[in-house]
Amino acid sequence: MKSIYLLTTLLFLLNLDSFSQSAQTDINRINALNESAYKARLTNPDLSYKNSNEALILSKKNNYVKGIAESYRIRGISKYYQNQSDSAIQNYLTSINYFKQLKDQAGEAKVLNNIGTLYRDVDYDKALEFYNKSLEIAEKLEITDLTTGLNLNIGVIYQKKKEFKKALISFNKSYVQFQKQKNSTGLALSLQNMSVVYKYLNQLDTAEAFAKEAIVIAKENDLKYVVAGTNLTLSYVYISKGKYDEAARSINEGVSYAKEIKDKRLEYDFLYNSYTLENYRKNYQKALGYLQQIYRQDSLVYKNIVSDRISLQQEQFNQLQKQRENELTIQKQKTNQVIFWSAVVVSGLLFVVILLLVGNVNKKAKTNKELTRLNHEISLQKENLDRINHNLEDIIDERTKDLRIKNHKLSQYSSHLSHQIRGPVSTIKGLVNLQKEDLIEKEEFVQQLDKCIVDIDNKILNINEMLHNPQLLGFKDEEDEA
């Protein structure tokens, strides 16, 4: 009997050791996948999502909670670079929930930083709120690399708020720290953002130098997102300096990188720079074509929709999270009951079984009462979700209707321009035919021709003025809409 017991124990320990080795191998694989996914965020967001999703599946299989939290975080980052804000916020909130369960403040600080970046383009104050929360934790835990990245991100917000002195202080601080850490990605991003600030300060030579240096580092490290974004700044600098051929090359290179990383927002920004370039070159027909595409995309409406949808999505997620927690409580209670009864049967202790059965009657009554309360809460939460979804649909319908009206007005304006130019051109053609038939005196012909040319010149000046004044097209500016 003792021999059988010893043999059983030995086999159990061998199996346990084999299981532990397998689990450790999976954990190493999970960490490697998440690390490669994070590195790919600026070069290949699709690959970043693929690797982090594979890490998430493996983490759930092994019940590796830290791996689950980190996988959700990096999935959110990849969705941000794919311009899918709704999916990004869902992943971030799920991630921070797991880090809170683990009481992992370092992980929580990273997610707060990521959420701040998500708000960076739509709500500067909200972004600063999340960045400062993250910075407080990072400085307390002395997480150097996160602190450095937060200085860079905070500088971006100050730059967007036109507080350029504060922005340069943050960027210079992050640049020095990235140099110490030998972080090429951080250096490229710092240089890129400093070039943007000096562009706004109209220090074009300095802006050009920083942008070129950023592009060199970015290309060496295959940072396609940085190359695209920096070319946007560089093209504007070249336009301002009158270097139109260099500007065109920067725009073409930037657009190719933006398309490669599938960044529609960057493509839109390059579209505006293309319009500015052709307008400076006095290629008004091309400029008008770019302007039509710009109004078709309507970036202001896009930003408003993203801001509204992020807020609604966050509220919706919180409601769903409560619902999941309630459902999880119910499931845990059912699971505990199954485990409890199984243990009673295995033990074979009749007296213990009787005592537990008596206690279970009282527990069942409490459980049923709790189930009734939880089901009622779930019903209320579902009603709230329906109302939120309805509000979201109304917002999208309103923005879509506004965009149709703007496109209709732009079409009417194009028809008006065509009619205005066609009149004097038709008159010139008539004068030429009269001259060919010798039906008009040469002096009168020259006089009438001069009038037509003056008329055309005035209309071209009028077109140029209207291209630079959207209100003349019938569109309201951003302050009027507010």
Side-chain angles (χ1 to χ4, degrees):
M1 189 70 181
K2 288 183 178 179
S3 299
I4 294 173
Y5 175 77
L6 289 172
L7 180 61
T8 303
T9 304
L10 181 61
L11 289 172
F12 174 78
L13 291 173
L14 288 173
N15 287 332
L16 184 62
D17 182 64
S18 175
F19 175 79
S20 299
Q21 290 179 358
S22 176
Q24 187 59 49
T25 301
D26 284 345
I27 288 172
N28 292 337
R29 173 67 176 159
I30 291 164
N31 293 335
L33 282 168
N34 278 330
E35 185 178 350
S36 66
Y38 183 75
K39 288 180 179 178
R41 71 195 189 284
L42 294 174
T43 57
N44 192 337
D46 291 339
L47 178 62
S48 177
Y49 181 81
K50 177 179 176 295
N51 287 348
S52 59
N53 196 53
E54 185 178 345
L56 177 62
I57 294 170
L58 201 55
S59 296
K60 287 183 175 180
K61 177 184 174 184
N62 289 272
N63 197 28
Y64 179 41
V65 181
K66 187 171 183 178
I68 294 172
E70 184 65 2
S71 299
Y72 272 119
R73 186 180 80 87
I74 299 173
R75 282 202 340 168
I77 294 173
S78 64
K79 287 298 180 182
Y80 167 76
Y81 283 108
Q82 291 173 335
N83 296 317
Q84 297 180 30
S85 301
D86 289 351
S87 182
I89 192 67
Q90 281 189 343
N91 281 283
Y92 288 152
L93 292 173
T94 304
S95 173
I96 204 169
N97 185 51
Y98 278 105
F99 278 125
K100 284 180 178 178
Q101 289 180 24
L102 292 169
K103 297 182 180 179
D104 185 341
Q105 286 190 308
E108 187 178 343
K110 289 179 181 179
V111 182
L112 289 170
N113 174 40
N114 299 140
I115 296 175
T117 301
L118 189 62
Y119 279 100
R120 189 165 62 187
D121 294 324
V122 294
D123 190 335
Y124 304 150
D125 293 330
K126 197 78 173 175
L128 270 178
E129 177 186 341
F130 281 102
Y131 284 149
N132 286 325
K133 284 181 181 178
S134 179
L135 185 61
E136 182 180 352
I137 298 172
E139 289 179 342
K140 183 179 73 174
L141 300 178
E142 297 182 351
I143 309 173
T144 308
D145 56 343
L146 180 57
T147 303
T148 306
L150 283 162
N151 282 323
L152 177 66
N153 291 336
I154 291 170
V156 172
I157 299 301
Y158 285 134
Q159 171 232 303
K160 289 179 178 292
K161 296 179 76 172
K162 310 300 181 186
E163 297 179 26
F164 299 124
K165 187 175 180 181
K166 290 182 179 179
L168 283 175
I169 291 172
S170 293
F171 290 148
N172 284 318
K173 189 184 295 184
S174 66
Y175 181 79
V176 171
Q177 291 170 332
F178 281 132
Q179 278 186 319
K180 290 179 181 178
Q181 297 166 15
K182 296 181 180 179
N183 186 329
S184 300
T185 301
L187 286 172
L189 288 169
S190 296
L191 289 166
Q192 176 194 3
N193 284 288
M194 283 192 282
S195 72
V196 174
V197 173
Y198 284 112
K199 176 198 77 174
Y200 281 118
L201 293 173
N202 206 32
Q203 298 182 29
L204 301 179
D205 291 336
T206 306
E208 181 181 350
F210 279 123
K212 286 181 176 178
E213 189 177 353
I215 289 174
V216 170
I217 296 174
K219 286 182 176 178
E220 288 175 352
N221 293 274
D222 196 29
L223 304 176
K224 298 172 184 176
Y225 190 89
V226 179
V227 176
T230 309
N231 267 301
L232 183 68
T233 304
L234 191 57
S235 64
Y236 180 90
V237 171
Y238 283 141
I239 292 170
S240 301
K241 296 176 78 172
K243 297 180 178 180
Y244 301 140
D245 291 338
E246 287 91 336
R249 282 194 289 271
S250 289
I251 290 172
N252 291 334
E253 182 178 82
V255 169
S256 67
Y257 275 93
K259 287 182 177 178
E260 189 173 349
I261 60 177
K262 301 175 182 177
D263 193 321
K264 295 296 181 183
R265 281 182 292 184
L266 267 175
E267 287 184 48
Y268 169 82
D269 291 334
F270 277 112
L271 195 63
Y272 185 82
N273 273 18
S274 297
Y275 155 71
T276 304
L277 174 62
E278 296 306 327
N279 190 54
Y280 272 81
R281 283 176 160 177
K282 298 184 178 180
N283 294 332
Y284 299 126
Q285 188 174 358
K286 274 190 174 182
L288 180 60
Y290 286 126
L291 186 62
Q292 289 173 329
Q293 294 180 59
I294 289 168
Y295 279 109
R296 212 172 285 136
Q297 293 188 31
D298 197 355
S299 65
L300 290 176
V301 173
Y302 170 77
K303 285 186 178 181
N304 288 334
I305 291 174
V306 169
S307 180
D308 291 339
R309 293 185 70 189
I310 288 174
S311 299
L312 289 171
Q313 190 69 41
Q314 187 167 2
E315 184 179 349
Q316 184 181 27
F317 182 88
N318 290 336
Q319 294 286 349
L320 285 171
Q321 189 66 24
K322 289 179 182 178
Q323 181 178 336
R324 290 193 191 102
E325 288 174 359
N326 289 336
E327 291 173 348
L328 186 61
T329 300
I330 295 170
Q331 188 61 41
K332 282 183 177 179
Q333 289 175 345
K334 291 180 179 178
T335 303
N336 288 337
Q337 288 177 353
V338 172
I339 294 172
F340 173 75
W341 285 111
S342 298
V344 170
V345 172
V346 172
S347 67
L349 299 174
L350 184 59
F351 179 72
V352 175
V353 171
I354 294 171
L355 290 176
L356 290 173
L357 282 171
V358 172
N360 190 55
V361 172
N362 295 328
K363 188 175 181 181
K364 256 187 182 178
K366 291 180 181 178
T367 300
N368 289 334
K369 186 177 179 181
E370 181 68 9
L371 285 172
T372 302
R373 185 184 65 80
L374 291 175
N375 284 330
H376 179 66
E377 285 186 14
I378 291 169
S379 298
L380 292 176
Q381 290 163 1
K382 285 181 179 178
E383 289 177 5
N384 289 336
L385 287 175
D386 291 338
R387 188 181 69 255
I388 290 169
N389 287 329
H390 181 70
N391 290 338
L392 180 59
E393 289 173 2
D394 288 344
I395 291 171
I396 293 173
D397 288 342
E398 183 181 344
R399 298 295 191 270
T400 303
K401 181 180 178 182
D402 184 57
L403 187 58
R404 288 197 188 116
I405 292 171
K406 289 181 180 178
N407 284 335
H408 178 66
K409 287 185 179 180
L410 186 59
S411 175
Q412 289 178 332
Y413 172 68
S414 298
S415 299
H416 174 69
L417 291 183
S418 175
H419 177 72
Q420 290 292 312
I421 296 297
R422 185 175 295 275
V425 170
S426 298
T427 303
I428 291 173
K429 289 173 70 178
L431 288 171
V432 171
N433 289 333
L434 289 173
Q435 176 65 23
K436 286 180 180 179
E437 299 294 331
D438 291 327
L439 297 175
I440 188 172
E441 294 295 331
K442 182 177 181 181
E443 184 178 344
E444 185 180 357
F445 171 75
V446 172
Q447 185 180 5
Q448 294 299 324
L449 187 62
D450 182 58
K451 286 182 178 180
C452 290
I453 292 172
V454 170
D455 189 22
I456 291 174
D457 186 52
N458 288 334
K459 292 185 186 308
I460 289 175
L461 290 174
N462 183 46
I463 291 170
N464 188 45
E465 182 181 354
M466 295 185 84
L467 284 172
H468 285 83
N469 192 349
Q471 289 181 339
L472 295 177
L473 299 179
F475 297 117
K476 298 179 182 179
D477 56 27
E478 187 177 354
E479 290 182 358
D480 292 337
E481 288 183 358

